[in-house]
Amino acid sequence: MDQLMQYVPVLMLAAVAILFAGGTLVASVVFGAKGKRYKIKDTPYECGMLPVGEGNTRLSVKFYLVAMLFILFDIEVVFLYPWAVIYRDMLKTDPNLIFGSMLSFLGILFIGYIYAVKKGAFDWKK
């Protein structure tokens, strides 16, 4: 029961947040300016031009594939930072383990990169 009592401040904060959000929405409806709605004021504004045509153009699937590969390789590089932080400490205890693990990690990453290049995954303009 004592552990559950520790969550009371969190529940109180959640209740205050919900009440504040609901209160501001209700206040904007009650006190908001009521006026005439004009058709020209309700149209979307696009840099002074009238919006004509489709809003979104379709992109090739290759574009999304390149974006996902970029995110994948970017996340892989993030895994290098913890390794670099503990590199000196690990050199004192077991240098072969840390160096071998990083070589295997970079090897697998490089094989994936070569595979993506051979498949033409990075060329999204085709």
Side-chain angles (χ1 to χ4, degrees):
M1 188 66 177
D2 189 40
Q3 288 180 342
L4 290 177
M5 292 302 291
Q6 292 177 356
Y7 287 103
V8 170
V10 175
L11 293 175
M12 289 173 51
L13 182 63
V16 168
I18 291 170
L19 287 174
F20 179 75
T24 54
L25 287 174
V26 169
S28 70
V29 169
V30 171
F31 299 115
K34 304 248 190 266
K36 287 186 179 181
R37 306 234 9 155
Y38 298 105
K39 184 177 179 184
I40 194 69
K41 283 205 169 230
D42 288 338
T43 58
Y45 180 74
E46 287 289 329
C47 301
M49 303 294 291
L50 289 175
V52 178
E54 202 174 304
N56 296 334
T57 57
R58 295 189 65 137
L59 295 174
S60 172
V61 175
K62 288 278 197 174
F63 173 78
Y64 296 107
L65 181 64
V66 169
M68 289 176 69
L69 285 171
F70 171 75
I71 291 171
L72 175 74
F73 285 111
D74 195 38
I75 289 172
E76 297 292 335
V77 169
V78 169
F79 286 123
L80 293 173
Y81 286 111
W83 177 81
V85 168
I86 64 165
Y87 182 70
R88 279 192 179 158
D89 296 334
M90 285 287 287
L91 274 178
K92 296 173 188 169
T93 58
D94 198 0
N96 293 333
L97 176 67
I98 192 166
F99 190 67
S101 64
M102 188 46 62
L103 278 181
S104 64
F105 175 75
L106 290 175
I108 292 170
L109 186 66
F110 186 68
I111 289 170
Y113 176 74
I114 295 299
Y115 177 79
V117 168
K118 292 230 184 237
K119 288 291 185 177
F122 294 116
D123 189 20
W124 62 276
K125 289 186 180 184
K126 275 188 188 179

